[in-house]
């Protein structure tokens, strides 16, 4: 497992810095947002697995030739059947680091979920005071504010789309239809789950600059994906106008009214810029064959650390 640990360490470093930086600067993700989303998820999962796996394999080197035999040896030490001296101080430290990092990632994932759920609950309570149900649109709330604002609040069967009176007065029926299609796509495709995962990654590893890059990229990609769905029913000019009007309204609402968080899909200047750039300076969609290759490569990337850890004998 010696060489496995070093290979996983090199892969973790590559996925922690140069690969995400290169991907965040690439132009093709906007032309293939789904494929790019799969690749970002693969980078995050493979990177985390490689970091933990590198420390785990290095720690188990004195105890066995593969993960199974190493874990068996570790179990014997924990049960008092073998001496801790068999492991050694450095390898014991590596195993402790792997365990702590694993616990940290899982705990941060849960903590981020808890915080988002609490924010949503407070947000929903606030909406109960400041909004009223739409008379002609199911699962839609209307807030009494003149700023043109639209966003969705996930919650399973309680998911709602929130519109402002200012938006309803300002937008034409076609523009409003585009906005509703966009927000409904967020809910139907469960984009909030992606935002949750990448928000947790950034919270768990705030010292890693690429965790911020990944979160920003994913936020832009889900907006582009929702726009692509809306474009099937409305023309581009209508959608561009709707985006610009909604973006101008989000900045006008008080922060305590919006309670903006990753669960609400409220546009930031970065995501708005990405959406408008895609629509105003369109590039042809990436060829289907290339998209399939990207997705296959993403799956392969995730399979590499998994195989190194689970399949004995790949690397000694």
């Amino acid at each position: 497992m010696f060489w496995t640990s070093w290979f996983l360490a090199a892969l973790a470093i590559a996925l922690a810095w140069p690969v995400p930086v290169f991907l965040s600067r690439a132009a093709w993700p906007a032309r293939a947002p789904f494929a790019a989303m799969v690749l970002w998820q693969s980078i995050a999962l493979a990177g985390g697995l490689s970091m933990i796996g590198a420390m785990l394999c290095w720690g188990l080197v004195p105890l066995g030739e593969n993960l199974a035999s190493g874990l068996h040896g570790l179990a014997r030490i924990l049960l008092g059947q073998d001496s801790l001296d068999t492991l050694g101080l450095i390898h014991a430290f590596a195993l402790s680091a792997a365990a702590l990092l694993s616990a940290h990632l899982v705990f941060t994932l849960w903590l981020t979920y808890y915080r988002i759920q609490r924010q949503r609950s407070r947000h929903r309570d606030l909406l109960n005071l400041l909004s009223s149900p739409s008379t002609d649109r199911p699962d839609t709330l209307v807030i009494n504010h003149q700023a043109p604002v639209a966003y969705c609040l996930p919650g399973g069967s309680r998911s709602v789309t929130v519109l402002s009176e200012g938006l309803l007065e300002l937008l034409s029926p076609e523009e409003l239809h585009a906005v509703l299609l966009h927000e409904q796509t967020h809910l139907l495709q469960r984009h909030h789950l992606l935002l949750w995962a990448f928000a947790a990654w950034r919270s768990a590893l705030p010292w890693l600059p690429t965790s911020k890059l990944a979160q920003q990229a994913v936020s832009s990609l889900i907006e582009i994906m929702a726009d692509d769905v809306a474009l099937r029913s409305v023309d581009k000019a209508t959608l561009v106008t709707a985006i610009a009007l909604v973006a101008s309204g989000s900045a006008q609402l008080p922060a305590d009214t919006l309670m903006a968080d990753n669960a609400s899909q409220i546009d930031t200047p970065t995501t708005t810029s990405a959406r408008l750039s895609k629509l105003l300076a369109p590039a042809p969609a990436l060829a289907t064959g290339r998209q399939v290759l990207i997705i296959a490569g993403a799956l392969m990337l995730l399979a590499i650390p998994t195989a190194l850890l689970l399949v004995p004998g790949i690397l000694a």
Side-chain angles (χ1 to χ4, degrees), residues 123-181:
H123 196 157
R124 199 176 299 275
D125 290 341
L126 190 59
L127 286 174
N128 290 336
L129 298 175
L130 301 176
S131 68
S132 57
S134 174
T135 56
D136 55 350
R137 299 177 185 85
D139 301 321
T140 302
L141 299 177
V142 179
I143 55 177
N144 182 18
H145 202 286
Q146 289 306 302
V149 174
Y151 59 94
C152 60
L153 184 64
S157 60
R158 301 174 60 199
S159 298
V160 294
T161 299
V162 181
L163 308 174
S164 68
E165 290 183 354
L167 184 80
L168 297 176
E169 295 172 358
L170 185 62
L171 266 58
S172 67
E174 293 78 12
E175 292 164 351
L176 181 59
H177 182 54
V179 170
L180 290 172
L181 285 174

Side-chain angles (χ1 to χ4, degrees), residues 152-225:
C152 60
L153 184 64
S157 60
R158 301 174 60 199
S159 298
V160 294
T161 299
V162 181
L163 308 174
S164 68
E165 290 183 354
L167 184 80
L168 297 176
E169 295 172 358
L170 185 62
L171 266 58
S172 67
E174 293 78 12
E175 292 164 351
L176 181 59
H177 182 54
V179 170
L180 290 172
L181 285 174
H182 178 95
E183 299 302 336
Q184 289 165 6
T185 300
H186 283 318
L187 295 174
L188 290 174
Q189 296 185 1
R190 305 291 193 270
H191 289 164
H192 55 282
L193 297 180
L194 290 170
L195 292 174
W196 161 47
F198 281 91
W201 185 23
R202 184 175 180 182
S203 296
L205 305 171
W207 46 269
L208 192 64
T210 47
S211 63
K212 179 180 179 180
L213 293 176
Q215 188 181 30
Q216 291 175 342
V218 168
S219 296
S220 296
L221 287 171
I222 64 171
E223 296 298 332
I224 291 173
M225 291 169 66

Side-chain angles (χ1 to χ4, degrees), residues 27-37 221 225 278 284-287 291 294:
W28 68 262
R31 300 169 57 197
F34 178 77
M37 184 73 71
L221 287 171
M225 291 169 66
K278 168 74 183 304
L286 210 60
Q291 295 192 45
I294 292 171

